[in-house]
Each structure stands twice: as structure tokens, then as C-alpha cells.
Amino acid sequence: MNFSHRCLVAAIFLSFALFFSGSGMAQEKFFRPDFRDVEIQDFLKTMSGIVNKNIVTDDRVKGKITVISPRRIPSSRAYDYLKSVLGVRGFGIVEEGADLIRVVPLKDAFAGNTVISLGREIAFTEEESKDQIITQVVPVYGTTASKLAALLKRLTNTNTDIIEYDDSRMILITGTYLEVDRLLRVVQLIDKETNQDGTQVETLGNVSIYRLENSEAANIEATLKKMQAQPQPGENKPPEKIEVVAHAESNSLIFIGSPERFAEIEAIIRKLDLPLDQVLLEVLIVEINTDDQNSFGVDWLFGKNGSAQFNSGLLAESGMLSKSGDITGVNTLLGFSVGFIEDGAQRIMALLNANVKKDNFAILSAPQVLTMDNQEAEINVGEDVPVITGNRVSGGGDNAVTTYSYEYRPTGVKLKFTPRINKSKMITMKLYQEVKSISGATQDSNANPTFNKRDIRTVVQVADHQTIVIGGLIATERTKSIRKIPILGDIPLIGYLFKRTSNVTQKTNLLVFITPHILTNRDIADKVTEEALGKHSGQFKDRDKK
């Protein structure tokens, strides 16, 4: 075929194309969106002719656009295409009339939208409003609006506007139809009304929600994020990363990722979200303190007003002599005392005292704590004791007033432990036990108390229902003091008349016993509860009688 023939054939085809384009049989027009690093203003000029609308741009509409498409797009979808491209770049369209549109930043486009819907479902069909920006007013049921809004913000892009109102339990979501609809489906899954029962796993596209039954969502979230897979040798990139968000109010995990990837993670969750046994720890604390004292001595006075004397402190302690040396008739010494008086002068010549003192006191405490396997528990039983830290005198003379400053120091019993149960029902426990009390010898309202502290920090392994002692403290302190007249006090037997001997022995015994009970089901828990009630039922009855 020569050149003239080819021209003739082309003319015939062109005539047919023009004929069909002017008739009802004409096909829809297409355009190819192929823009490479084009200024957005130039892009809008081109699209203005395709969508057949006048376009006015805001001064903030700047930047470049790159769109590569191997296929043509029908001209009837050019307007949707324009909205999508502008949305990616953070801009939106406000329609000013049939032939005029305004391009502004997306937040301003949100403010200018007029499509508003109330409830958990969009009131318009997708065909009616999929190309529009809408505002959905969403009621909140089981959680607070601020917490739900914070979660939704993590699941959407920055172009979607979410505002919470805790007082009215509402949130406002403004964005594209598809994005608002996706967020509403998430809300329906995680914030159900109280009379609705949710399944354990619910999936919406690439969002999956797993309702945990035993574990805390925050703990599982942290575990999953730590185990995100690293690239293996020979791999070009890591496996697909899955986004995990914990929702505390519903105790759920929200996943963003492919269903295939979620299926792998779900298998791990089911292994982690197992029902945990409980451990009841019974503790028996026994502390016995013994204080033994014995003393024997003689004090002598000679001469006028006791100018010559052997004074070991007995006469001063007894209060039997006044400052002038006269007998007061008062004796405050404990034990056995004998005074030898000068004939006719009514003055003491000698004072003999023998005394034995024994103090015994015990602290008995039996705290009980119940906790879940591998969860820390703590109990504190005691009181705060005031301790003087300073004083200030105001005024003077008879009007002087002393003001004291106090701090409060805790006393009592503190128990803290974390159990871990293995398959053989052996319990490994991290345990801390503290007993803090006031020393019985120093309880004085005019002086600060002395505190006794006993504590044990250990890790032990115990069988179920086994009682063991985890700590014992046996301390003995002996003190002996002698005051005597030189030479005379060293004479055998007779020397006891010229000296004072005092012996003090202090003993402290502390024992701590523990008995753990594994509560695997309700029957065992009920049995332990009944036993505890039985131990104390007599005390309750006696109290009622009073």
C-alpha cells in the first residue's frame, strides 16, 4: 500500500470517529494522569479543563506533585481523582457553586463541610457521600470520650479531625467518608453498650481487635512490640511489621496489619492469655524479747551531812535524802532495800538494795495475702508514731510557750511477695518481710521512742501447703557493771558491802513461718475461705455478746 492509499484509509477512519463522537454511540472520554514533579498550580490548571470547573487556590496551596499512572482514567472520575491527589498532599476542596471550587488546606476544608451525621452509622449511603468530607457525632458508652478519641487518633492519619467532649460523652470525627466509616466500625467493636456481648476476635479489613480474657492489654502490647521480628541472614528486609495498640477500658488489643500476619500474632496471644492460678500466702511472725536485770549494792555515809561517803547512785535514786541530808521517808528503789540510820540524828549511815527484774514481751502477727501467679502483692498493718524533730520557745518568763515539731514514723508489719508457679506446683517466691516496733524499754512521753526493725529479703521455693521457716534471729546481749571502794570492795564476801554489782541480759528471738496455698479453682478458694472464717468465728461471737 503506497502513501496515497494509507492517507485515504486514515481519512476514512477519522470520518467514522467524528461521526460516532457526534452521535449517541460515542464512547466515554479518557485522560492519562502522568505528572512528574509538577508544580501544584500547573497541575490544577490542567485538571480545571478536564473537570470543567473554575479553580481558586489559597495562598498556602504550594508544592509539587508526582503522579505516575500506566492506565487511562475516565473523565467522569476526574473530579474524584482530583480530590484524592489533593488529599494526599494535605489539601481539600470547598465547593462554592456549580462551576467554582476552592482548594484550601484540608483542615479548612473540614470546617467548611456541611454533611453532618449522628450515631454509630453514617446516615448517607456511600454513593451519596463517598466523595465528600463529613462530620460524624458519635456517642460514647463504656469509656470516656477523651480516651476513645486518643485511641482513634492513633489509628488514623493527621488529616482526620477528632474532637472529644467528656461532659456529653461524645466525640466528633471529621474526614472523608471512607475514613470516618472505618473509624466508626472500630468504635463499634471496642466501645459496646453494656448489654452487648463481643466475640473474642473481630476483624475489619486490616484492623483486628482481640479481647483478652485473663491478661492485661498493656502488658501483652509491650511483649508483642518487643518481639517484632528482625531480618534473618540473607533477607533483604524484615517481615511485615504489625502495629499494636492496647485499649485498657475494654482490655483489648487493636492490630493494624494484614490478616496473614495477624493470624501468626493471634496464635501467640492465645498462648499468653491463659487463666492464672492464685496464691494465698499465710505468714506467722513470732518475736520474743527477754530483758533480765539483777543488781546488789550498799551505799555508805559518814561524818556530818555525809561529808565522807561511798555513793554508787542508790541514795540519789531512792529519793530518801533531801538536799540537806534529812530523811524524806520516800523510797523509790525497786526490789529489797534496808537503811541503817544514825542513832539519835535520824541520818542514814548505809543503804542496801537487792533487785531482780525480768521483762518478757512477744509480738505475734499472722498476715495473709492473696495474689495472682507472677503478680506482686503487698500488705501493711501498723500505725504511725510521732517523733519530736524540734521545738521552739515563744514568749518569756511565766508566759513562755514551747511548740514542738513532729514527724511520723511507721511501725507494724509489712509483707511483700511475688509468687511464680511451675508445672510441678512448686512455688518460687520473691519475699520481703519487715517488722518494726517501739522498744518496750524506751516508751516515754517526754523522749523520742527507740524503734526496733527486723526485716528479711529472700527468694525461696516451697511446695503447695508446705510450711517452712524463712528466717530466724537469735541475739543475746549481756552487760555487767561494778562500782566499788578500792581494796575494800575486793575482799572476798565482805567486799559485797563496799560495792554495787549490776547484770543485764537481753535476748531477742525472731522466727517467720510461711505457708502458700495454690487456688486453682473456686472449690479450693471456697474451702480456704471457710477455714479462715472458722478460725475467727469465735471472736465474732464474743464481740457480739459484748
Side-chain angles (χ1 to χ4, degrees), residues 74-260:
S75 298
S76 59
R77 295 184 55 192
Y79 194 47
D80 297 338
Y81 165 79
L82 176 61
K83 289 182 178 180
S84 299
V85 173
L86 291 175
V88 171
R89 297 291 291 133
F91 303 115
I93 291 176
V94 177
E95 297 182 356
E96 300 288 352
D99 299 325
L100 177 63
I101 59 176
R102 184 160 50 94
V103 179
V104 296
L106 201 56
K107 293 292 184 181
D108 292 350
F110 287 173
N113 89 87
T114 57
V115 181
I116 299 177
S117 178
L118 173 64
R120 295 294 186 96
E121 295 183 359
I122 299 177
F124 312 97
T125 63
E126 183 175 356
E127 290 74 16
E128 292 174 335
S129 55
K130 69 177 181 179
D131 297 328
Q132 298 186 35
I133 296 172
I134 65 173
T135 295
Q136 188 77 17
V137 181
V138 185
V140 179
Y141 299 138
T143 183
T144 62
S146 56
K147 290 182 178 180
L148 182 58
L151 176 64
L152 295 177
K153 289 175 183 178
R154 296 180 62 180
L155 299 177
T156 188
N157 54 60
T158 57
N159 293 327
T160 302
D161 195 23
I162 300 177
I163 303 175
E164 65 273 8
Y165 294 93
D166 282 329
D167 294 341
S168 58
R169 300 182 64 82
M170 295 281 187
I171 60 175
L172 272 65
I173 306 175
T174 301
T176 63
Y177 175 94
L178 295 178
E179 185 62 17
V180 173
D181 183 64
R182 188 176 72 88
L183 294 179
L184 284 178
R185 293 177 184 272
V186 173
V187 170
Q188 291 171 353
L189 292 177
I190 66 175
D191 184 48
K192 294 181 176 293
E193 295 183 83
T194 56
N195 61 349
Q196 292 180 321
D197 297 324
T199 58
Q200 190 170 3
V201 179
E202 298 182 66
T203 303
L204 174 63
N206 65 339
V207 177
S208 300
I209 298 177
Y210 190 107
R211 289 181 174 271
L212 297 170
E213 295 182 351
N214 305 291
S215 304
E216 292 187 9
N219 295 337
I220 301 296
E221 175 195 19
T223 301
L224 294 176
K225 287 184 176 179
K226 288 181 180 179
M227 59 178 289
Q228 290 289 354
Q230 300 297 322
Q232 300 299 318
E235 291 183 342
N236 295 327
K237 60 179 181 178
E240 179 189 356
K241 182 179 180 180
I242 187 168
E243 296 292 338
V244 186
V245 179
H247 186 250
E249 285 72 17
S250 63
N251 200 36
S252 301
L253 292 171
I254 303 174
F255 300 85
I256 304 175
S258 65
E260 294 77 16

Side-chain angles (χ1 to χ4, degrees), residues 291-365:
D291 189 357
D292 295 340
Q293 302 180 25
N294 64 78
S295 62
F296 177 86
V298 179
D299 277 12
W300 297 91
L301 273 77
F302 302 96
K304 187 177 181 180
N305 296 328
S307 57
Q309 61 177 309
F310 164 61
N311 185 0
S312 65
L314 285 175
L315 288 170
E317 293 176 16
S318 67
M320 295 177 65
L321 290 180
S322 65
K323 293 182 179 180
S324 61
D326 297 329
I327 299 176
T328 63
V330 178
N331 183 11
T332 60
L333 292 175
L334 299 177
F336 176 74
S337 299
V338 175
F340 299 92
I341 302 174
E342 182 182 355
D343 187 22
Q346 293 296 309
R347 299 182 184 278
I348 293 178
M349 296 178 59
L351 177 64
L352 179 149
N353 176 258
N355 178 50
V356 176
K357 177 184 177 183
K358 291 188 176 183
D359 290 333
N360 296 290
F361 65 93
I363 297 176
L364 181 63
S365 180

